Amino acid sequence: MPIVGLALVLFAGAFLLHLIRWRVAPPTATTRALVLTFVIGILGGLVLVLGLAALLPGLAARLPADSFGVVQAAVLALAFAAGYVMTYPAIEVESPTLVMIQAIARRGDRGLARATLFEQLNDEVLVAPRVRDLMREGLAIERGGRLHLSARGRKLVTWFLVWRRVLGASEGG
């Protein structure tokens, strides 16, 4: 239990840093900032906890018994962070599925005509925010009124295509 407990404390500390950072000065490149915030928060939190444990025997007794356990806790905290970072885009920009569910729910028992749903969920609601995200994250650039993948965008696509092949999935979305 000390390993899981330490991992949760480290993740919670990094999450608190994330909340503070986003409230004070929200970054423009959110994915990069999120990854850095969690890695620095978890590793910095680990150093802080170990430093405090050297001063407080009661705290030291609650930590993993050996350095391997401490490393396991740090890796587990980083795994929690990776899971959060991967789900963050669905939180940051409205999910198409959730937007549809909310639109239908607002109509209550009357329901919502399919045509009305299509009118409400136009490209400005569903596509434009994601295009802005691609550009903000440096994955796409605009030249001559056309979108092009940046070098980072091409690398990301390559990794996704390789991963999909490994999984035996088609190249489509």
Side-chain angles (χ1 to χ4, degrees):
M1 185 61 181
I3 292 171
V4 174
L6 178 57
L8 289 172
V9 166
L10 294 174
F11 175 77
F15 184 79
L16 182 61
L17 281 178
H18 158 56
L19 289 179
I20 292 168
R21 168 75 162 88
W22 264 241
R23 298 272 187 219
V24 172
T28 53
T30 55
T31 302
R32 183 178 298 164
L34 199 58
V35 169
L36 287 173
T37 299
F38 273 93
V39 169
I40 291 168
I42 288 169
L43 297 180
L46 184 60
V47 169
L48 178 66
V49 167
L50 293 176
L52 288 173
L55 300 173
L56 305 169
L59 176 61
R62 296 182 186 274
L63 296 178
D66 57 10
S67 57
F68 183 65
V70 171
V71 170
Q72 286 178 309
V75 169
L76 183 57
L78 290 168
F80 292 155
Y84 179 75
V85 168
M86 292 176 70
T87 59
Y88 188 77
I91 298 166
E92 184 180 33
V93 176
E94 294 192 62
S95 159
T97 302
L98 291 177
V99 170
M100 287 185 262
I101 289 172
Q102 288 172 338
I104 295 167
R106 279 193 296 270
R107 297 293 298 200
D109 291 336
R110 296 173 301 194
L112 180 65
R114 183 182 294 235
T116 304
L117 182 64
F118 288 150
E119 288 171 16
Q120 290 178 359
L121 301 179
N122 56 34
D123 287 346
E124 189 55 40
V125 173
L126 298 178
V127 177
R130 280 146 190 89
V131 171
R132 285 190 294 271
D133 286 345
L134 289 173
M135 294 178 71
R136 187 183 68 231
E137 293 291 336
L139 298 172
I141 54 174
E142 189 171 0
R143 285 192 314 251
R146 293 182 173 268
L147 292 174
H148 299 272
L149 288 178
S150 66
R152 283 185 60 213
R154 284 191 297 278
K155 287 178 189 173
L156 183 63
V157 166
T158 300
W159 280 107
F160 272 113
L161 292 177
V162 167
W163 184 243
R164 290 184 69 84
R165 280 189 209 114
V166 167
L167 295 176
S170 68
E171 288 189 7

